[in-house]
């Protein structure tokens, strides 16, 4: 079995593409992949929702502490809210670009691999493309007779 790429979150061999996550491994047969494309996307949608919920919670907590405990606690909570908001915004900017490898696998559209690390993404995508190209059967060209 030929190995094209082996890394912490994916492996590509001549027969399988394996994506590793913290909870499981997902295995795709290379010969069953069709319409493989690279896509650049925005930040993960679930992170934006988390930012909005956290921001709303911080504003509510600051307003409640201001009215219940007093202005000193309100100023303290406002400072904490600003620091947390700045950390979250900087983390979101750092992970703003995602790259995805998408394909049709056994008739279903799926995302094979996603990463924010462009170098690692390119290595995985190139290895997968080479594995797909090498797995195609070789077509024989009919020989022409010369006279």
């Amino acid at each position: 079995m030929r190995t094209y790429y082996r890394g912490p979150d994916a492996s590509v061999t001549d027969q399988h593409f394996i994506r590793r996550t913290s909870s499981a491994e997902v295995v795709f047969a290379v010969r069953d992949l069709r319409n493989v494309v690279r896509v650049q996307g925005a930040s993960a949608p679930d992170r934006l929702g988390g930012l909005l919920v956290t921001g709303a919670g911080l504003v509510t907590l600051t307003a409640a502490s201001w009215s219940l405990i007093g202005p000193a606690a309100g100023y303290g909570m406002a400072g904490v809210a600003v620091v947390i908001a700045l950390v979250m915004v900087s983390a979101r900017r750092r992970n703003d670009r995602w790259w995805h490898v998408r394909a049709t696998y056994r008739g279903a559209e799926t995302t094979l691999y996603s990463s924010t690390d462009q170098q690692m993404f390119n290595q995985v995508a190139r290895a997968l493309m080479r594995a797909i190209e090498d797995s195609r059967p070789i077509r024989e060209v009919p020989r022409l007779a010369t006279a």
Side-chain angles (χ1 to χ4, degrees):
M1 178 170 27
R2 183 173 181 184
T3 302
Y4 293 93
Y5 177 84
R6 183 179 302 146
D9 57 350
S11 291
V12 181
T13 68
D14 56 351
Q15 297 174 0
H16 297 101
F17 176 81
I18 303 166
R19 179 183 66 209
R20 293 183 193 91
T21 62
S22 59
S23 59
E25 274 189 358
V26 182
V27 179
F28 299 94
V30 171
R31 69 178 180 275
D32 294 335
L33 294 173
R34 304 284 182 266
N35 305 323
V36 179
V37 294
R38 298 178 191 194
V39 179
Q40 181 179 349
S43 62
D46 56 331
R47 290 188 180 183
L48 183 58
L51 285 173
L52 293 175
V53 168
T54 304
L58 288 173
V59 168
T60 303
L61 189 59
T62 302
S65 65
W66 190 289
S67 62
L68 295 175
I69 301 172
Y75 286 126
M77 282 305 300
V80 169
V82 167
V83 169
I84 292 173
L86 289 174
V87 167
M88 291 178 69
V89 168
S90 68
R92 182 174 182 269
R93 284 187 184 160
R94 220 182 2 211
N95 296 329
D96 203 27
R97 284 196 179 152
W98 281 80
W99 287 272
H100 310 280
V101 176
R102 295 196 176 133
T104 303
Y105 182 68
R106 296 181 179 168
E109 294 291 322
T110 186
T111 300
L112 298 175
Y113 181 75
S114 298
S115 179
T116 57
D117 183 349
Q118 187 177 13
Q119 181 178 359
M120 187 179 296
F121 171 81
N122 285 331
Q123 291 173 350
V124 171
R126 278 193 305 266
L128 180 59
M129 294 302 175
R130 283 194 316 265
I132 291 170
E133 289 171 1
D134 290 349
S135 71
R136 292 182 184 154
I138 298 173
R139 296 182 186 164
E140 288 191 28
V141 178
R143 296 183 185 190
L144 300 175
T146 58

